[in-house]
Amino acid sequence: MSVQIGNIDLGEFPLLLAPMEDVSDPPFRYVCKQNGADMMYTEFISSEGLIRDAAKSRQKLDIFEYERPIGIQIFGSDINSMRTATEIATLAGPDLMDINYGCPVKQVACRGAGASLLQDIDKMVAMTKAVVEATHLPVTVKTRLGWDDTTKNVYEVAERLQDIGIKALTIHGRTRAQMYKGEADWTLIRDIKKNPRIQIPIFGNGDIDSPEKAAQWRMEYEVDGMMIGRAAIGYPWIFREIKHYFATGEHLEGPTIAERIDVCRTHLEKSVAWKGPKTGIFEMRRHYASYFKGIENFKEFRMRLVQAGTIEDVEEILEQIHDNYATEMA
């Protein structure tokens, strides 16, 4: 049975790419889409930044036809600002709007946004209602289990947000206090999915990093789909590998060195095309180590890649990497 968000059909068990700050930009989303991501989101965008017309916030609204279906995710602490930001973001033409009530970092949560709203559910409900009323698009929410172990209130959050019109809920299996430490706990996510009052899709997020775990947790926690974040950084093949395992119960062969280089090159080309040579090359530096993670004796090549200043330099190094590892990683 297909999972639906409004009129968006995501197939039987969708795999979603998480919105990650400084990661989930269009170049990264492109390589994830090519490797099987069913739905993606922009990096989270400040509502205040959109209203101020800040260049960085505006650029994050860029979406491309090949990315669909795609959601724009916004965050903020002021209800009126979130309403106005929703109107601005809707004009960018996404398929849905998403609200971030999960970001745990101090700069966001301690300013009354992101996971901070888990401490004030009434305000969260009012803010969500304002967003729902400000757009014709389906509205979804991403949040956490609660602020800390003593306030795991996402069960109430799910019911109340569904009642005012959200069309799907993604839950990260940690509290704000946990940040990204410890293990994600999906038991409360399962409880919410089993709640007979809940009719919207429930997606689980946190610690999905292998096909086996995805298959095991799909059965154990009975969610409608999964959102994958950190495991996709430098390894967009995670989506196709999970789908292959679901379909066959067997492992798909990991990427060859040629595939790693090809996807890295594509990511670089998209980055340069979108941001320009200087910024595009500079911001790719954070991805090289992840694309070639686990390859023995790679430190010298990694250092050269992060120091390369032109596309030609990077291309030359990638060719040398291919020549050096092609035989052993064919």
Side-chain angles (χ1 to χ4, degrees):
M1 188 172 179
S2 285
V3 174
Q4 299 275 143
I5 298 179
N7 61 358
I8 304 168
D9 187 334
L10 295 176
E12 182 181 352
F13 191 86
L15 300 179
L16 285 55
L17 173 65
M20 294 177 283
E21 176 71 355
D22 293 328
V23 176
S24 301
D25 59 11
F28 179 73
R29 298 197 301 260
Y30 180 87
V31 297
C32 289
K33 185 72 172 182
Q34 293 295 106
N35 282 280
D38 294 302
M39 189 168 75
M40 307 183 293
Y41 299 83
T42 63
E43 301 170 73
F44 72 167
I45 306 174
S46 164
S47 57
E48 299 291 345
L50 284 182
I51 293 169
R52 292 195 314 269
D53 203 23
K56 186 174 182 181
S57 294
R58 283 283 180 170
Q59 188 183 37
K60 290 180 180 179
L61 290 176
D62 287 354
I63 54 178
F64 299 89
E65 285 302 311
Y66 62 75
E67 300 183 285
R68 297 190 186 280
I70 186 166
I72 289 177
Q73 188 187 74
I74 59 173
F75 73 97
S77 60
D78 182 80
I79 293 173
N80 287 329
S81 295
M82 287 289 281
R83 180 186 293 110
T84 302
T86 300
E87 294 170 351
I88 295 169
T90 298
L91 295 175
D95 299 288
L96 59 86
M97 290 296 305
D98 188 76
I99 310 171
N100 183 308
Y101 293 138
C103 181
V105 300
K106 185 180 296 185
Q107 301 95 306
V108 174
C110 292
R111 293 179 179 174
S116 176
L117 275 300
L118 286 163
Q119 299 177 102
D120 189 346
I121 299 180
D122 288 344
K123 182 177 179 181
M124 179 193 285
V125 171
M127 182 178 287
T128 305
K129 188 171 187 291
V131 170
V132 169
E133 292 175 349
T135 183
H136 66 281
L137 298 169
V139 174
T140 62
V141 163
K142 184 171 189 281
T143 190
R144 288 184 170 231
L145 301 179
W147 182 255
D148 56 30
D149 283 340
T150 65
T151 58
K152 290 184 179 179
N153 51 12
V154 71
Y155 196 94
E156 178 187 353
V157 166
E159 289 189 345
R160 293 186 65 182
L161 295 190
Q162 176 184 261
D163 289 348
I164 51 96
I166 71 165
K167 300 302 182 185
L169 178 66
T170 299
I171 305 167
H172 184 105
R174 290 181 174 86
T175 63
R176 187 272 169 176
Q178 285 181 271
M179 302 295 285
Y180 295 98
K181 298 175 182 177
E183 294 183 356
D185 178 5
W186 285 39
T187 55
L188 194 50
I189 304 175
R190 178 178 55 204
D191 291 345
I192 291 167
K193 178 58 192 172
K194 287 187 172 183
N195 179 355
R197 276 205 61 207
I198 296 297
Q199 301 298 314
I200 60 174
I202 301 295
F203 302 121
N205 173 233
D207 291 355
I208 294 297
D209 56 9
S210 70
E212 300 97 326
K213 186 181 287 186
Q216 179 186 339
W217 286 16
R218 178 182 182 179
M219 296 294 292
E220 184 174 351
Y221 297 111
E222 303 176 41
V223 292
D224 294 294
M226 293 174 172
M227 179 178 282
I228 298 170
R230 289 174 291 171
I233 299 175
Y235 205 84
W237 304 280
I238 186 76
F239 297 100
R240 75 177 188 186
E241 290 181 4
I242 289 173
K243 288 183 173 182
H244 183 82
Y245 194 85
F246 283 170
T248 67
E250 299 176 353
H251 281 282
L252 192 65
E253 286 290 326
T256 64
I257 191 67
E259 287 179 297
R260 289 174 185 254
I261 290 168
D262 185 53
V263 172
C264 182
R265 180 183 287 118
T266 298
H267 192 163
L268 172 65
E269 290 171 351
K270 292 291 183 181
S271 183
V272 168
W274 184 54
K275 304 171 187 175
K278 184 177 180 181
T279 304
I281 292 170
F282 177 78
E283 294 192 357
M284 265 301 291
R285 292 176 179 177
R286 65 172 69 106
H287 294 283
Y288 293 129
S290 298
Y291 273 121
F292 299 102
K293 185 178 180 180
I295 298 179
E296 293 183 1
N297 304 314
F298 195 77
K299 183 178 179 180
E300 179 186 344
F301 284 116
R302 186 180 71 248
M303 294 300 295
R304 290 176 59 196
L305 283 169
V306 299
Q307 292 168 1
T310 68
I311 298 175
E312 291 75 21
D313 290 341
V314 176
E315 287 283 1
E316 183 178 344
I317 297 166
L318 291 176
E319 285 296 327
Q320 292 172 6
I321 292 169
H322 180 270
D323 293 343
N324 196 73
Y325 293 99
T327 302
E328 57 191 271
M329 292 188 62

